[in-house]
Amino acid sequence: MKHTNLYYLSIIRNLMVLLNFINILFLATIILFTSKYIVENQLSREFLEKIAYVPKSPQLVFWGSIILFAVLVILCIIAIKRLLNIN
């Protein structure tokens, strides 16, 4: 079966989306687990003296980043489908 350049670009795009999702999930998980660790080990006083910005809710950061990434992917898919239908 002969594959076109569009097929290969589609595969690369899907792999990049997957890689970005894994990256966002990794960073959000680090924020979530770090916050829980600090609270459980009562290191908040020491931690707050060293940082410049405190996230308001680690769970909100975790779920918000996943949901917003999903919205971005859906918007990209819609845009690509519209472009393909125009041609």
Side-chain angles (χ1 to χ4, degrees):
M1 177 157 57
K2 186 176 178 183
H3 296 292
T4 63
N5 286 339
L6 187 61
Y7 173 76
Y8 292 117
L9 288 175
S10 173
I11 290 174
I12 291 170
R13 185 189 73 236
N14 291 338
L15 289 174
M16 292 300 292
V17 167
L18 178 65
L19 181 64
N20 283 328
F21 177 73
I22 291 170
N23 191 21
I24 287 171
L25 189 64
F26 175 73
L27 292 174
T29 304
I30 287 176
I31 291 170
L32 182 66
F33 285 140
T34 302
S35 300
K36 287 188 177 191
Y37 175 81
I38 289 169
V39 169
E40 288 175 359
N41 292 314
Q42 298 176 351
L43 300 170
S44 56
R45 175 77 145 164
E46 184 179 323
F47 177 70
L48 289 173
E49 291 174 354
K50 293 181 181 179
I51 63 170
Y53 176 76
V54 179
K56 294 190 182 206
S57 171
Q59 289 84 10
L60 181 64
V61 170
F62 182 79
W63 292 109
S65 60
I66 292 172
I67 290 169
L68 289 174
F69 183 76
V71 168
L72 179 65
V73 168
I74 291 169
L75 290 175
C76 289
I77 290 170
I78 291 170
I80 289 169
K81 286 185 178 183
R82 284 186 182 173
L83 283 174
L84 292 177
N85 287 336
I86 291 173
N87 296 332

